[in-house]
């Protein structure tokens, strides 16, 4: 059997029943692909279903507020995906009359869409012969052919894309792309793949050379930075608090958080009190300060680790900028803040 026949036969027997595989509507395919970037299917599926229910068309998504979109996205992480999703929906409705580009090159011009997503939409919806190369494809090809070129290098991206393009079934590119990704996700898994039932066992270079756990090769990431976050959780006697929108282009852009003091090292009671002396909310109002968590909550992002403390500030009233505590769950917040809100239970 050729690779094409083996993969497609395996896929016909083992494929998962997923909702975005029952349609060729580019809106639903695009939505699923954006959600599944950096996200496993079992985590992304409930979000996909929630988005389809709330925003059944690209027009519905386009007219939504960014805050509502971010709230629905809450917990998935990599929030730039949600902002790009919303921005692109508005562009499609306002500039393209609600119609998605029907080819790879046109799709690449949309914000938040790169080679992989453009290839997926073009092949699944329009049967264009564009090979998809995601983590699953990298893994299968690197093991089968014994390729040690780092998959997160420019050379690796080019090499694997060209190889996948050579292998793709020209008559049915959509099925081939689905099959090779599904094979990597279910059979050729990152850890402990069951090679005893793999149809490629006899020809797989990694199996023959016992290098399965070594492949694919990745360049080591850069140094992880450490940051110290101190959130000020104001609580007034009339059940109000303060929550602020994050601006700028850093992490959690346009999400909400409690007032933040970022420090170079662990902040002490004395350090927090020193900061509060100049805080506009306090302004000589009596307050009680306590620490919610003695040990730092370590929140790990791809490029930085946040060592976090939540400081509780109880006072009689909040003179400016307050919101009802019962309303804070309506705001889109990072999962770090969401977890605190649920655990603290106000």
């Amino acid at each position: 059997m050729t690779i094409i026949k083996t993969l497609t036969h395996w896929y016909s027997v083992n494929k998962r029943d997923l909702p975005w595989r029952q349609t060729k509507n580019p809106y639903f395919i695009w939505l699923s692909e954006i959600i599944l970037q950096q996200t496993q299917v079992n985590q992304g599926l409930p979000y996909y279903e929630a988005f389809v229910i709330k925003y059944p068309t690209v027009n519905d998504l386009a007219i939504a507020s960014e805050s509502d979109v971010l709230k629905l996205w809450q917990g998935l992480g990599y929030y730039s995906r949600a902002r790009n999703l919303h921005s692109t929906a508005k562009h499609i409705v306002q500039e393209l009359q609600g119609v998605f580009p029907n080819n790879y090159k046109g799709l690449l011009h949309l914000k938040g869409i790169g080679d992989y997503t453009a290839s997926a939409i073009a092949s699944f919806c329009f049967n264009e012969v564009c090979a998809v190369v995601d983590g699953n494809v990298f893994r299968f090809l690197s093991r089968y052919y014994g390729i040690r070129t780092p998959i997160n290098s420019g050379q690796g991206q080019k090499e694997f894309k060209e190889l996948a393009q050579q292998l793709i079934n020209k008559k049915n590119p959509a099925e081939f792309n689905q099959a090779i990704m599904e094979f990597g996700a279910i059979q050729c898994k990152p850890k402990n793949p069951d090679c005893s039932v793999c149809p490629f066992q006899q020809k797989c270079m990694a199996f023959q050379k016992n290098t399965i756990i070594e492949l694919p090769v990745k360049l080591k990431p850069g140094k992880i930075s450490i940051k110290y976050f101190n959130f000020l959780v104001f609580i007034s006697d009339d059940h109000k608090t303060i929550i602020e929108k994050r601006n700028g282009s850093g992490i959690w852009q346009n999400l909400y958080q409690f007032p933040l003091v970022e420090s170079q090292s662990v902040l002490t009671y004395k350090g927090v009190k020193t900061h509060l002396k100049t805080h506009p909310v306090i302004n000589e109002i009596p307050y009680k300060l306590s620490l919610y968590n003695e040990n730092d909550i370590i929140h790990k992002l791809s490029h930085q680790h946040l060592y976090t403390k939540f400081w509780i500030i109880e006072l009689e009233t909040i003179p400016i900028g307050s919101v009802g505590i019962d309303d804070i769950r309506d705001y889109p917040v990072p999962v770090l803040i969401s977890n605190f809100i649920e655990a603290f239970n106000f």
Side-chain angles (χ1 to χ4, degrees):
M1 273 191 176
T2 64
I3 284 183
I4 291 175
K5 288 182 178 180
T6 303
L7 280 173
T8 52
H9 174 73
W10 179 93
Y11 181 66
S12 69
V13 175
N14 297 281
K15 66 180 177 181
R16 290 169 290 182
D17 183 19
L18 300 172
W20 47 84
R21 289 180 176 160
Q22 314 304 322
T23 180
K24 290 186 177 295
N25 185 323
Y27 171 65
F28 295 126
I29 300 297
W30 167 65
L31 184 60
S32 70
E33 292 299 338
I34 299 300
I35 287 174
L36 293 177
Q37 290 173 6
Q38 309 290 336
T39 302
Q40 300 218 350
V41 167
N42 58 353
Q43 182 189 9
L45 179 56
Y47 284 88
Y48 172 82
E49 292 172 335
F51 266 87
V52 168
I53 290 170
K54 189 164 186 178
Y55 308 120
T57 69
V58 68
N59 186 70
D60 293 313
L61 180 57
I63 63 177
S65 71
E66 183 183 74
S67 182
D68 283 346
V69 173
L70 289 172
K71 181 63 180 177
L72 198 58
W73 192 273
Q74 185 173 301
L76 266 182
Y78 298 93
Y79 287 90
S80 60
R81 292 182 294 167
R83 292 191 294 271
N84 289 339
L85 188 80
H86 188 229
S87 175
T88 297
K90 291 193 289 185
H91 173 76
I92 289 170
V93 169
Q94 295 169 5
E95 306 297 332
L96 303 179
Q97 293 73 53
V99 179
F100 278 78
N102 63 1
N103 58 74
Y104 170 83
K105 288 185 178 180
L107 290 161
L108 271 181
H109 288 102
L110 299 178
K111 191 173 183 179
I113 291 185
D115 170 75
Y116 164 75
T117 306
S119 297
I121 299 171
S123 63
F124 300 161
C125 301
F126 309 113
N127 214 38
E128 187 172 353
V129 183
C130 294
V132 296
V133 183
D134 70 348
N136 297 311
V137 177
F138 277 126
R139 188 164 55 255
F140 168 65
L141 293 180
S142 68
R143 287 173 174 172
Y144 182 80
Y145 288 101
I147 301 172
R148 304 193 71 87
T149 310
I151 62 174
N152 55 345
S153 66
Q155 181 185 349
Q157 298 279 328
K158 181 181 179 182
E159 182 176 344
F160 281 95
K161 177 70 175 183
E162 290 176 349
L163 176 57
Q165 193 66 30
Q166 291 169 14
L167 294 173
I168 192 171
N169 185 349
K170 307 300 190 294
K171 294 180 179 179
N172 196 340
E175 182 184 51
F176 177 84
N177 280 338
Q178 292 279 18
I180 194 170
M181 288 194 295
E182 190 79 333
F183 188 84
I186 296 178
Q187 177 60 48
C188 196
K189 298 185 293 186
K191 296 180 180 179
N192 303 316
D194 187 357
C195 298
S196 67
V197 296
C198 177
F200 293 104
Q201 182 194 99
Q202 298 303 315
K203 295 184 178 180
C204 175
M205 295 298 294
F207 180 79
Q208 301 301 326
K209 296 183 178 181
N210 197 28
T211 57
I212 293 165
I213 62 172
E214 299 173 17
L215 297 172
V217 175
K218 280 187 178 182
L219 296 174
K220 292 183 179 180
K223 186 178 179 181
I224 300 294
S225 64
I226 303 296
K227 292 187 176 181
Y228 295 88
F229 275 19
N230 300 272
F231 289 107
L232 307 180
V233 184
F234 290 90
I235 302 177
S236 66
D237 290 347
D238 56 351
H239 213 55
K240 290 187 176 180
T241 189
I242 298 173
I243 195 164
E244 301 173 337
K245 188 174 185 179
R246 285 183 67 96
N247 297 313
S249 58
I251 62 169
W252 304 333
Q253 180 184 346
N254 294 345
L255 298 182
Y256 287 78
Q257 65 182 18
F258 297 106
L260 171 65
V261 177
E262 188 173 340
S263 55
Q264 298 299 314
S265 58
V266 175
L267 207 58
T268 62
Y269 275 92
K270 183 177 179 181
V272 174
K273 286 189 173 183
T274 298
H275 175 82
L276 288 174
K277 285 180 181 179
T278 59
H279 198 286
V281 168
I282 297 301
N283 195 24
E284 298 184 358
I285 295 176
Y287 66 89
K288 176 185 174 183
L289 176 67
S290 60
L291 177 60
Y292 170 71
N293 55 304
E294 289 289 344
N295 297 319
D296 288 316
I297 297 170
I298 304 174
H299 188 67
K300 295 182 179 181
L301 302 173
S302 59
H303 58 294
Q304 56 188 316
H305 292 173
L306 310 179
Y307 285 68
T308 308
K309 281 187 168 66
F310 290 88
W311 299 86
I312 313 303
I313 303 160
E314 299 174 82
L315 64 175
E316 184 176 340
T317 186
I318 298 174
I320 56 172
S322 65
V323 300
I325 285 175
D326 292 339
D327 297 327
I328 59 176
R329 287 176 173 81
D330 296 334
Y331 290 86
V333 298
V335 68
L336 175 63
I337 301 296
S338 177
N339 288 343
F340 167 78
I341 291 172
E342 296 305 317
F344 189 70
N345 203 25
F346 287 95

